[in-house]
Amino acid sequence: MTNNKIILEIKNLNASVANTQILKDFNLTINMGEKHTLMGPNGSGKSTLANILAGNPEYIVDSGEINFLGQTLLDKAPEIRACLGLFLAFQYPVELPGVRMWQFLKSSLDSQREYNGKDPLSTKDFDSILNECAEKVDISQDFLKRNVNEGFSGGEKKRNEILQLTLINPKLAILDETDSGLDIDALKIVSNGIENFSSPNNSVLLVTHYQRILNYVKPDYVHVMIDGKIVKSGDKSLALELEKKGYDWLSKK
Amino acid sequence: MNSNTNFIDFVSKTTDKLNSNNDIANEFRLNNLSKLKQIGLPTHRKGNEEWKYTNLNKFTSINYILPVVETEDSNLKSQELSPKEFEVINIINGKLSKKNNINNSYINIKSSSINTLTTNELNKFNSLLGDKNEQMAILNSALCTDYIFINITGGNVKLLINFINSNNSENFILSNPKVFINIDSKSQLELIENHYGNKNSKYTSNNVLEIKINKQSNLKHYRLLEESENAIHTNTTRVYLDEKSKFKSFAFSKGAQMARYDLKVSMPHEHSEVELNGLYCTSGKQHLDNYINLDHIAPHCISRINYKGILNGESHAIFGGTVLVRAGAIKTDSRQTDKNLVLSPKAEIDTKPSLFIYVDDVIAGHGATAGNIDEQTVYYMRSRGLDLETASKMLISGFAMEIIDKVTINELNNYLIKTYINTLPSYKFDF
Ligand SMILES: Nc1ncnc2c1ncn2[C@@H]1O[C@H](COP(=O)(O)OP(=O)(O)O)[C@@H](O)[C@H]1O
Ligand SMILES: [Mg+2]
């Protein structure tokens, strides 16, 4: 699957939020076509990493490097990172009062197209793409008329993230606990969405702290993150081991 | 001598001038003048909660000339809003235009400048909600040049009333439009109350609207405030709901240098429903005060207040919402919220929803928020490729659209999108 082209390279990254250092000499390389899973106990810094990658202004990089498709990300605004092909499915998707799904999705896609030198889609073309994507993640037409995430259930918000992933079709998808809080049907929809997205021309970083989703999404690598850095990497058998033993055996140095 | 005393002097002289032999309203005007002399105008002092944030000095310290518009003014800003199927009435500087052409037999209009009103009819003014000393309404009655009655006698009526202010001179004029609307039982009225004037025109307009909604009738009310940027606008609107009647209101406020809207709603009969929506967008040095009084007297009534503000520049907006649930008003269901987007550090909002409940068996709630655009919300949108400006515009217009979306008249909806949404400021981020 791997064609050895590096999509993301994180080197000696130190980062903090609210004046507390969270990421400590963090290193990770992801090649095109690979699926990586990042696991770890609550508070280990997984979401911090995801936010640093997407460019959340609340999170500060103190030192280190992040290269994405051969360019540094550190000096780039979140919207530029998105246009370059980086996508984050939020652990806690944000409600946008008064902003309609349709309007939001169309503008998002058009902005990204414009940045990449493409014309905006006609309403008709967009509608047919959107409808196709919505069907895949079992989101109804009624939903598309609503305000973004407003009044959505937990599961609906997560499916909405997968809808956006499907529609935007980025180069790198970072999924922050998109599996948590889902019933089995929703978990299958979300997993299908990820598996359908995944191709030799893109990569996935799946952040989770349950191995449950790995019954559906098959990762090439599993990393364990504790206290701001990766302490162990392996293949998917590592996830099963974690399931049995928990994280304690890794944190005892 | 303070500006109030000077002003009352002016009122007194003016009232004298307005009196004429063939005007049956003389006595009514004089009665109100003497009342005004007794009780004065609202003062901006400690303890006067209703007028805590609005100082009428600006209103009273002007040297006014009388509004002398007998002829129709051809320089008037052309009116862009003309929804289909709406009958139109123009009131110019407080006087009913003689050119009104109403083609709906359910609409009956009487005006003291055209018809002769009976004492009985005149006494309806100021008495709708009991004999409360409403100073601005009394001032209006003392100076009013035309007492206008509109009777809706049935059917499903759509009516646009343009309150046009016209003044090409350098001096401020003061007009006192006064309209009483009676909606007979089992009638429907959609009413657009549209206040406007030429861009820089100087005027003060002190309006009174009294609306009686009789049994099982329905009023949908849209108020548009688009006065000149020099204008001072005050408005006392009183609404009385009879049994099983409904009042749904939208107050869209944008124009005027200074404005005060007093909306008093009384629910003395069972099973009536009130929904008050508002959107105010302020900028520059505007001062805009919305003051609502809602009185739950009878059991089984429902009320909702849902106002929103977008503040920019050095403007000052005030929301005062007082809901009173009286001892007899069991099973009342009342909610009120006021939400504000404060886009500039120099803009100021004073929001004060309050609730007084004198009975146990009710559902009631109130809340207010004020904030600027949330950085994490914008971050979510940026992470999808939207730049700061697009994201903030989308959020600000989304905030306003929550009110505009509820407007069911197509032409009005489009008009509001054009005048409110397409002119919204973009937000200067400090991140
Ligand atoms: N926005 C924030 N403000 C303050 N502290 C934060 C913020 N985000 C994360 N943290 C702190 O950083 C640490 C790592 O959190 P997080 O990255 O969310 O962990 P995980 O996703 O692995 O559960 C925690 O101690 C958390 O409290
Ligand atoms: Mg997390």
Side-chain angles (χ1 to χ4, degrees):
Chain A
M1 250 201 246
T2 303
N3 56 25
N4 278 332
K5 185 178 170 205
I6 295 175
I7 186 162
L8 180 73
E9 188 178 35
I10 304 171
K11 283 201 266 185
N12 303 324
L13 185 68
N14 290 287
S16 51
V17 58
N19 292 319
T20 310
Q21 186 179 1
I22 307 295
L23 300 185
K24 296 163 186 166
D25 267 326
F26 187 94
N27 288 283
L28 177 66
T29 300
I30 298 178
N31 291 309
M32 196 65 104
E34 292 176 350
K35 277 179 281 183
H36 290 237
T37 297
L38 184 64
M39 303 183 77
N42 267 331
S44 54
K46 304 183 297 294
S47 292
T48 300
L49 176 71
N51 275 296
I52 287 284
L53 291 173
N56 188 337
E58 248 182 46
Y59 293 74
I60 310 295
V61 172
D62 300 312
S63 65
E65 277 176 49
I66 306 174
N67 291 305
F68 179 65
L69 291 168
Q71 295 186 58
T72 178
L73 277 189
L74 293 182
D75 58 358
K76 296 193 174 58
E79 58 271 30
I80 304 298
R81 299 179 193 206
C83 293
L84 291 173
L86 186 143
F87 177 89
L88 169 62
F90 280 47
Q91 181 172 6
Y92 304 108
V94 179
E95 298 190 4
L96 307 179
V99 179
R100 293 286 159 88
M101 285 281 284
W102 191 93
Q103 174 200 18
F104 177 62
L105 298 175
K106 174 95 165 56
S107 314
S108 299
L109 200 57
D110 284 348
S111 302
Q112 299 206 19
R113 289 176 66 88
E114 189 186 342
Y115 183 89
N116 292 298
K118 294 183 200 155
D119 287 335
L121 287 171
S122 71
T123 302
K124 194 166 158 260
D125 289 349
F126 176 75
D127 278 344
S128 74
I129 295 171
L130 177 61
N131 289 340
E132 199 180 304
C133 294
E135 209 166 298
K136 280 187 197 155
V137 293
D138 198 25
I139 281 182
S140 70
Q141 288 297 313
D142 282 352
F143 244 83
L144 300 175
K145 292 188 189 118
R146 287 169 60 178
N147 292 336
V148 182
N149 292 325
E150 202 179 38
F152 287 25
S153 71
E156 288 165 345
K157 284 182 181 168
K158 296 298 172 82
R159 273 191 282 142
N160 189 20
E161 295 295 281
I162 297 300
L163 169 65
Q164 294 173 49
L165 169 70
T166 313
L167 187 74
I168 289 170
N169 192 24
K171 288 286 169 206
L172 172 65
I174 305 159
L175 301 138
D176 191 0
E177 309 245 6
T178 309
D179 57 330
S180 62
L182 297 182
D183 62 29
I184 192 72
D185 291 332
L187 183 66
K188 278 184 191 161
I189 289 170
V190 163
S191 311
N192 268 334
I194 298 168
E195 279 295 315
N196 284 337
F197 159 75
S198 176
S199 84
N201 299 315
N202 60 35
S203 308
V204 173
L205 176 59
L206 180 67
V207 175
T208 180
H209 66 259
Y210 303 108
Q211 82 87 37
R212 192 174 66 142
I213 192 171
L214 303 183
N215 295 327
Y216 307 97
V217 178
K218 302 292 175 202
D220 304 304
Y221 300 94
V222 173
H223 310 278
V224 182
M225 180 171 185
I226 291 177
D227 193 21
K229 56 164 138 321
I230 290 175
V231 294
K232 195 166 175 62
S233 296
D235 61 15
K236 57 182 180 294
S237 64
L238 177 56
L240 293 170
E241 204 177 347
L242 289 169
E243 175 93 339
K244 280 193 215 112
K245 300 209 256 177
Y247 293 108
D248 283 354
W249 60 286
L250 287 167
S251 47
K252 283 179 199 119
K253 286 172 200 164
Chain B
M1 193 171 258
N2 68 35
S3 68
N4 257 355
T5 335
N6 281 333
F7 180 73
I8 300 230
D9 261 10
F10 159 78
V11 175
S12 169
K13 281 183 199 132
T14 310
T15 305
D16 281 345
K17 274 188 222 161
L18 291 174
N19 285 337
S20 63
N21 287 335
N22 51 17
D23 187 352
I24 191 163
N26 283 356
E27 195 187 322
F28 188 69
R29 215 177 267 127
L30 286 171
N31 283 342
N32 279 285
L33 175 64
S34 64
K35 227 189 225 171
L36 183 73
K37 283 180 174 164
Q38 275 169 37
I39 62 175
L41 286 171
T43 46
H44 176 72
R45 60 172 158 74
K46 251 206 176 134
N48 188 2
E49 282 301 314
E50 293 199 18
W51 290 89
K52 190 167 168 187
Y53 301 104
T54 294
N55 190 339
L56 281 174
N57 263 343
K58 211 170 206 164
F59 182 120
T60 55
S61 60
I62 292 170
N63 279 323
Y64 291 106
I65 55 166
L66 284 178
V68 274
V69 173
E70 299 295 336
T71 53
E72 310 281 325
D73 187 338
S74 55
N75 292 326
L76 276 178
K77 183 175 113 179
S78 69
Q79 185 45 32
E80 301 162 59
L81 181 66
S82 55
K84 266 194 291 237
E85 295 169 20
F86 272 72
E87 300 288 340
V88 181
I89 295 176
N90 290 327
I91 296 174
I92 302 170
N93 294 346
K95 239 178 183 169
L96 189 69
S97 164
K98 295 194 171 69
K99 287 188 191 157
N100 291 319
N101 182 17
I102 296 287
N103 294 309
N104 186 325
S105 60
Y106 289 121
I107 305 175
N108 282 318
I109 304 176
K110 261 186 133 182
S111 135
S112 67
S113 67
I114 300 167
N115 315 88
T116 305
L117 296 185
T118 64
T119 319
N120 202 3
E121 282 169 327
L122 272 170
N123 281 334
K124 284 199 172 145
F125 289 105
N126 288 7
S127 65
L128 187 61
L129 304 188
D131 202 4
K132 229 192 129 206
N133 282 340
E134 302 233 355
Q135 294 146 305
M136 299 310 283
I138 291 166
L139 170 67
N140 168 287
S141 297
L143 290 176
C144 183
T145 46
D146 198 4
Y147 301 86
I148 302 165
F149 265 112
I150 301 174
N151 207 2
I152 307 297
T153 58
N156 196 336
V157 176
K158 299 174 195 297
L159 180 63
L160 164 63
I161 307 181
N162 289 315
F163 291 82
I164 305 164
N165 291 284
S166 165
N167 179 23
N168 299 323
S169 84
E170 271 307 296
N171 293 310
F172 266 75
I173 59 165
L174 173 61
S175 70
N176 290 274
K178 191 175 198 74
V179 179
F180 191 108
I181 301 173
N182 179 69
I183 307 167
D184 275 356
S185 57
K186 296 186 181 158
S187 317
Q188 322 282 323
L189 175 63
E190 275 189 84
L191 173 71
I192 304 175
E193 172 199 341
N194 186 20
H195 297 269
Y196 67 95
N198 283 339
K199 194 167 184 282
N200 300 310
S201 165
K202 292 178 176 167
Y203 57 87
T204 295
S205 165
N206 175 38
N207 304 264
V208 174
L209 247 87
E210 297 178 88
I211 306 173
K212 184 163 187 223
I213 312 173
N214 289 291
K215 278 182 196 166
Q216 297 176 52
S217 284
N218 224 320
L219 171 63
K220 265 195 190 177
H221 169 236
Y222 303 88
R223 168 182 149 87
L224 306 179
L225 187 69
E226 292 179 28
E227 303 283 29
S228 127
E229 55 197 47
N230 289 318
I232 298 175
H233 173 105
T234 51
N235 184 318
T236 309
T237 294
R238 304 189 184 101
V239 181
Y240 177 101
L241 285 100
D242 208 330
E243 208 176 300
K244 293 184 185 151
S245 64
K246 287 184 186 159
F247 174 46
K248 186 170 188 168
S249 164
F250 293 85
F252 293 99
S253 314
K254 190 177 166 68
Q257 174 202 161
M258 170 178 160
R260 159 82 173 203
Y261 184 41
D262 264 286
L263 176 57
K264 318 232 165 188
V265 181
S266 177
M267 307 171 82
H269 298 279
E270 292 194 28
H271 301 289
S272 63
E273 291 175 24
V274 168
E275 181 185 319
L276 309 178
N277 303 285
L279 177 65
Y280 43 95
C281 295
T282 59
S283 59
K285 296 199 166 168
Q286 277 184 308
H287 177 104
L288 239 137
D289 184 348
N290 284 296
Y291 202 90
I292 296 171
N293 253 293
L294 198 111
D295 195 356
H296 276 278
I297 303 167
H300 303 287
C301 293
I302 300 174
S303 68
R304 296 284 179 273
I305 301 176
N306 181 17
Y307 268 59
K308 283 189 149 187
I310 299 174
L311 286 76
N312 217 336
E314 297 170 37
S315 63
H316 185 189
I318 298 113
F319 173 83
T322 303
V323 174
L324 171 64
V325 184
R326 298 199 196 213
I330 53 162
K331 306 279 183 199
T332 290
D333 175 356
S334 171
R335 316 269 160 84
Q336 81 169 303
T337 62
D338 175 52
K339 295 181 185 163
N340 294 281
L341 257 185
V342 184
L343 299 178
S344 138
K346 286 187 175 159
E348 194 183 333
I349 174 76
D350 286 294
T351 172
K352 217 180 152 224
S354 46
L355 188 56
F356 301 94
I357 306 179
Y358 298 98
V359 58
D360 287 333
D361 191 10
V362 298
I363 304 168
H366 68 303
T369 61
N372 54 21
I373 291 181
D374 175 54
E375 187 186 34
Q376 288 302 305
T377 306
V378 173
Y379 160 59
Y380 180 69
M381 302 173 82
R382 296 173 81 190
S383 81
R384 299 303 183 248
L386 301 173
D387 61 30
L388 272 175
E389 195 182 328
T390 311
S392 76
K393 276 217 162 119
M394 221 181 249
L395 286 172
I396 299 168
S397 65
F399 184 84
M401 280 310 284
E402 285 194 313
I403 303 287
I404 294 176
D405 264 344
K406 293 196 202 176
V407 173
T408 48
I409 303 166
N410 264 337
E411 294 91 338
L412 182 56
N413 207 286
N414 293 336
Y415 178 79
L416 290 166
I417 288 171
K418 202 172 110 197
T419 51
Y420 281 78
I421 300 299
N422 297 350
T423 60
L424 280 172
S426 60
Y427 182 61
K428 302 263 180 304
F429 288 92
D430 52 11
F431 50 84

